[in-house]
């Protein structure tokens, strides 16, 4: 796959209020560093200068975040009202997100686990609490509860469905669909690593293979995004990058669950209504094909959440921090 450039920006959804792009791997969303010339923000300025908002520091209102090494669907609000409506969906857990990943086996798991291999369970929910890692040399990383130096771990849930088994550069790996049911920093990467199956190419939470032919990227991709705002139903599905036609190092040999069936289940989920069913989201697990998800309980908004909302809505008109 070709590296990121100013020209290769892919748009998968566009309306008057929203833009969903397929972010390239190893491209930052934005940066205050003058040396960081290739960012998603700069790509947007290059392709859509008329959409940039001079009242914001970065020029565009990103509705959520993706890690630097993660590719895939990222939503941009084109005005303040749209940004507020998107944030309300995230706050009320109405957003559906699903990721694709290639996962390897690692000796980082329990002693009983093998060194490399396939994910054995076809469907599982990962429930390790996640906190900040205060261990020396692990700044800006996360860890699971019980790890030495793990601070303030919070409940975290991830739904995992195995799609295929195969080989990546000769090593056994599994292709999986991941749905974060909570929104912790690095959640999917930490949860995969905690099970002994880190994401292929994740050198922060995985292990280097000790050879020069390391994967050219981290194999984690934001595949599906659905944001049901009060005025617009934003839905985007990005191309699957983990297919042999795109990456010849990936050679699947066993189909476990067709991806298109899961996509149909996600798209068929009903829109949320007052007192009615909601989407599969960070509050509900990924539905089985043909299954209608049951409505989750909606917790009352706390003062801290209300303050966070107000801060989020106001920050778009603020200048950079000193």
């Amino acid at each position: 796959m070709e590296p990121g450039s100013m020209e290769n920006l892919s748009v998968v959804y566009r309306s008057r209020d929203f833009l969903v792009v397929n972010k390239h791997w190893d491209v930052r969303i934005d940066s205050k560093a003058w040396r960081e010339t290739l960012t998603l923000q700069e790509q947007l300025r290059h392709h859509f200068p008329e959409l940039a908002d001079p009242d914001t520091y970065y020029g565009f209102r990103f509705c959520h975040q993706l890690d630097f090494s993660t590719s895939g669907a990222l939503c941009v609000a084109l005005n303040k009202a749209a940004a507020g409506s998107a944030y309300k969906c995230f706050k009320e857990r109405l957003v559906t997100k699903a990721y694709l990943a290639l996962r390897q086996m690692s000796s980082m798991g329990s002693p009983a686990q093998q060194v490399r291999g396939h994910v054995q369970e076809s469907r599982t929910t990962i429930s390790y609490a996640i906190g900040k890692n205060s261990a020396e040399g692990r700044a800006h990383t996360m860890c699971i509860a019980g790890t030495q130096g793990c601070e303030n771990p919070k409940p975290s849930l991830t739904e995992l469905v195995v799609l295929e088994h195969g080989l990546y550069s000769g090593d056994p790996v599994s292709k999986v669909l991941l749905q974060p049911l909570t929104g912790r920093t690095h959640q999917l990467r930490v949860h995969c690593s905690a099970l002994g199956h880190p994401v292929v190419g994740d050198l922060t939470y995985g292990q280097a293979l000790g050879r020069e032919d390391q994967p050219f990227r981290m194999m984690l991709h934001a595949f599906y995004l659905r944001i049901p705002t009060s005025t617009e139903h934003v839905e985007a599905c990005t191309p699957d990058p983990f297919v042999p036609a795109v990456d010849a190092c990936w050679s699947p040999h066993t189909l476990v669950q067709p991806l298109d069936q899961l996509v149909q289940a996600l798209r068929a989920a009903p829109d949320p209504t007052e007192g009615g069913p909601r989407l599969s989201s960070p509050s509900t697990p990924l539905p089985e094909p043909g299954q209608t998800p049951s409505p989750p309980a909606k917790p009352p908004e706390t003062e801290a959440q209300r303050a966070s909302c107000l801060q989020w809505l106001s920050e778009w008109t603020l200048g950079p921090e000193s």
Side-chain angles (χ1 to χ4, degrees), residues 1-4 23-27 68-72 216-218:
M1 182 182 290
E2 63 183 35
K23 187 185 89 67
H24 197 279
W25 50 275
D26 286 1
V27 170
F68 164 68
S69 301
T70 304
S71 60
F216 62 93
R217 59 162 292 180
M218 183 176 72

Side-chain angles (χ1 to χ4, degrees), residues 36 107 112 133 190 217 244 258 287 295 307:
E36 201 81 39
S107 60
N133 196 335
V190 173
R217 59 162 292 180

Side-chain angles (χ1 to χ4, degrees), residues 5-9 42-50:
S5 69
M6 199 63 71
E7 297 300 330
N8 63 355
L9 177 67
E42 288 299 329
Q43 286 180 313
L44 289 169
R45 281 188 180 275
H46 177 73
H47 288 271
F48 306 105
E50 74 282 2

Side-chain angles (χ1 to χ4, degrees), residues 104-120 172 195-198 207:
Q104 66 182 27
M105 198 67 177
S106 166
S107 60
M108 294 175 62
S110 67
Q113 292 172 320
Q114 304 174 24
V115 179
R116 309 183 67 77
H118 296 304
V119 181
Q120 297 302 316
L195 289 185
H197 297 277
Q207 285 186 326

